Amino acid sequence: MVSERIVGEGSMMVTEKDTAAKCGSGTLQVLATPAMILFIERTASDCVRPLLKEGESTVGSLLDIKHSAPSVIGSEVFCRVELVERDRSRMVFDVKVWDSAGEVGSGKHERFLVNNAKFMDRAFTRAEG
């Protein structure tokens, strides 16, 4: 388990570029699930960034997220992530997303701590076959 409490929070204003219609995940002018997921990943990444050493980063590896309610263009949406589990390089966050009308989404997000150079070497090796 995690000995110290690590929490990150963020907010965003839903714009036309964040909608399901614009992202291609639907046809409606509401916050798209892909945009919500990006918001969650950004909030979690930003939360742990101050703890990283030079040459380190985190990468998202798993999302178990429920998108439970729509948010219209102009809505301010908030995200809160809390690191609840850490096992070596693996980090698991509890996630909550809401707007002024209530919950928008919730779930779990997993990230891994990586060495940037090693990770990119592996990515290029994989791409070369």
Side-chain angles (χ1 to χ4, degrees), residues 1-7 51 82-84 86:
M1 287 305 271
V2 178
S3 58
E4 64 181 271
R5 188 164 183 240
I6 300 172
V7 174
L51 307 173
E82 181 174 358
L83 184 62
V84 294
R86 182 159 185 194

Side-chain angles (χ1 to χ4, degrees), residues 9-110:
E9 295 182 337
S11 65
M12 68 175 279
M13 190 68 67
V14 178
T15 66
E16 195 262 332
K17 72 174 179 54
D18 304 311
T19 65
K22 188 68 169 185
C23 289
S25 64
T27 59
L28 301 176
Q29 294 290 324
V30 296
L31 179 65
T33 302
M36 185 180 78
I37 287 171
L38 174 60
F39 182 35
I40 290 166
E41 289 213 64
R42 185 180 313 126
T43 304
S45 176
D46 289 350
C47 169
V48 296
R49 185 171 290 124
L51 307 173
L52 302 179
K53 298 174 188 165
E54 189 170 330
E56 291 181 333
S57 186
T58 63
V59 294
S61 58
L62 179 70
L63 286 151
D64 183 9
I65 302 296
K66 179 180 179 180
H67 192 167
S68 52
S71 292
V72 297
I73 293 173
S75 297
E76 187 171 16
V77 180
F78 304 91
C79 180
R80 182 178 190 278
V81 298
E82 181 174 358
L83 184 62
V84 294
E85 185 180 339
R86 182 159 185 194
D87 181 20
R88 296 181 297 243
S89 62
R90 179 177 167 264
M91 295 172 271
V92 178
F93 297 86
D94 277 341
V95 175
K96 297 203 182 319
V97 179
W98 70 96
D99 62 16
S100 63
E103 183 179 292
V104 172
S106 62
K108 298 270 188 198
H109 174 42
E110 179 182 87

